[in-house]
Amino acid sequence: MSSLHSHERLHEALPQAAFETALASLRARGERVTEGRRAVLRALAATSEHLTAEQVVSALESTDPGVHRATVYRTLDVLAELGIVSSVHVSGGANLYHLAASPAGHEHLHAHCRSCGAVVVLPADALDAVVERAHRLAGFRLEASQSTLVGTCARCDGR
Amino acid sequence: MSSLHSHERLHEALPQAAFETALASLRARGERVTEGRRAVLRALAATSEHLTAEQVVSALESTDPGVHRATVYRTLDVLAELGIVSSVHVSGGANLYHLAASPAGHEHLHAHCRSCGAVVVLPADALDAVVERAHRLAGFRLEASQSTLVGTCARCDGR
DNA sequence: ATGAGTGCAAAGTGTTTGCAACTAT
DNA sequence: ATAGTTGCAAACACTTTGCACTCAT
């Protein structure tokens, strides 16, 4: 195998690294690390896509058949609560999940296209001013990476 | 009837006025004005609360019994598409709807408390900078009043 | 050992659909 | 006249639940 410390820049996150980080977060919070949770995290770490709970279930069917659908839902819920995964809330449709710290190793925001359903990623700090303002005005502690902005993506807007 | 042009300031929106405005928007867009749509708009105009589709269905059961559940869903969908109503997307739960221009006659944003589910209203312009930035960075046309911010409200944060 | 986590299957929500009849334009 | 809307009822998609059992700690 090639050396593990060859590059400092990781444009494409190593699934392995993201996975380990997530596990560490779990332990740090005093949460138990079970096979089901490992499996869910592995599935999320393996892609940069935003997956529905049901897609995670499907993914695990081949690799980790003992993990029940209910466990996937419960696990995603816990992970979202802890901020280890962030989720995109879509009108009517299923929530989409992925590791908060992936794919490029840092947090980010989500925007959802009402027309084609695409998820557009925005810089994590785009909401910083809003976070502060919401807190001053309403005492609201806004979690930027759990919020889903809605609109029309560039592709759909151009027609 | 009293004069219709007596006051220019309408701090508390007249349900009637909000209703008429919404109807006018519908017509302006070339949409048909049916009894079902009127009923849904009346229900929304009658409250400053954020209602689920099912709550609208219930409200209409007494006042407008011929209006079917499916019509309510379809109508809310159309109205949201047109921007006449804005909706709050809640993780897992049902979407909440209300007139975009109510209750104080102007647009505004929504924040949803993950802990207690409360909907907090923020000034319409809070996302202005983000709208511009999203457009510059990603060509994304962000619809602020259709976006739901997520976090913890003041009450829940204080414990 | 012990309580958090899990599998299971069923029920719960929330929403959409195909189609014939209706109606606003 | 006619294309958009509706009612209907069933299907659909998504998520949660209670409980007995298991396993990570």
Side-chain angles (χ1 to χ4, degrees):
Chain A
M1 310 296 177
S2 57
S3 88
L4 290 169
H5 50 77
S6 47
H7 300 89
E8 300 228 345
R9 311 205 290 143
L10 298 172
H11 284 150
E12 220 62 5
L14 295 179
Q16 190 63 23
F19 173 70
E20 299 291 357
T21 303
L23 276 193
S25 301
L26 258 190
R27 283 192 241 266
R29 304 291 204 107
E31 291 286 330
R32 293 191 180 178
V33 177
T34 64
E35 191 41 41
R37 291 176 172 189
R38 263 193 294 265
V40 170
L41 285 173
R42 241 182 276 121
L44 293 175
T47 177
S48 60
E49 299 292 304
H50 298 71
L51 304 178
T52 65
E54 219 55 40
Q55 286 176 313
V56 173
V57 170
S58 301
L60 297 194
E61 246 155 35
S62 41
T63 60
D64 303 75
V67 180
H68 196 271
R69 155 186 279 85
T71 298
V72 172
Y73 278 93
R74 286 190 276 231
T75 299
L76 288 172
D77 213 44
V78 169
L79 294 174
E81 200 96 15
L82 296 176
I84 295 173
V85 311
S86 59
S87 50
V88 181
H89 309 303
V90 181
S91 176
N95 288 344
L96 301 170
Y97 299 89
H98 74 151
L99 293 184
S102 79
H106 48 61
E107 306 240 335
H108 57 277
L109 305 178
H110 300 119
H112 182 251
C113 176
R114 278 217 285 181
S115 174
C116 71
V119 174
V120 175
V121 170
L122 297 175
D125 65 349
L127 283 182
D128 282 0
V130 184
V131 169
E132 204 197 335
R133 194 164 171 203
H135 195 263
R136 255 203 316 254
L137 289 177
F140 194 87
R141 192 161 54 72
L142 176 55
E143 296 170 51
S145 66
Q146 297 296 338
S147 299
T148 302
L149 302 171
V150 172
T152 311
C153 74
R155 265 171 68 84
C156 294
D157 200 25
R159 18 137 80 210
Chain B
M1 311 295 179
S2 56
S3 89
L4 291 169
H5 51 75
S6 47
H7 299 89
E8 301 227 345
R9 311 204 290 143
L10 296 172
H11 283 151
E12 219 61 7
L14 298 179
Q16 190 62 24
F19 173 70
E20 300 290 357
T21 303
L23 276 192
S25 302
L26 258 190
R27 283 194 241 266
R29 303 291 204 108
E31 290 286 330
R32 294 191 180 177
V33 177
T34 64
E35 190 43 40
R37 290 177 174 188
R38 264 192 293 265
V40 170
L41 285 173
R42 240 181 276 121
L44 292 175
T47 176
S48 60
E49 299 292 305
H50 298 71
L51 304 177
T52 65
E54 219 57 40
Q55 286 175 314
V56 173
V57 170
S58 300
L60 298 194
E61 246 155 36
S62 40
T63 60
D64 303 76
V67 180
H68 195 270
R69 156 187 277 84
T71 298
V72 172
Y73 278 94
R74 286 190 276 231
T75 298
L76 289 172
D77 214 42
V78 169
L79 294 174
E81 200 95 15
L82 297 175
I84 295 172
V85 310
S86 59
S87 50
V88 181
H89 308 303
V90 180
S91 177
N95 287 344
L96 301 170
Y97 300 89
H98 73 151
L99 293 184
S102 78
H106 48 62
E107 307 239 334
H108 56 277
L109 305 178
H110 301 118
H112 182 249
C113 177
R114 279 217 284 182
S115 174
C116 71
V119 174
V120 175
V121 170
L122 297 175
D125 65 349
L127 282 181
D128 282 0
V130 184
V131 169
E132 204 197 334
R133 195 164 171 203
H135 195 263
R136 254 204 316 257
L137 288 176
F140 193 88
R141 192 160 56 71
L142 176 56
E143 296 170 52
S145 67
Q146 297 296 339
S147 299
T148 303
L149 302 172
V150 172
T152 310
C153 74
R155 266 171 66 84
C156 294
D157 199 26
R159 19 138 79 213

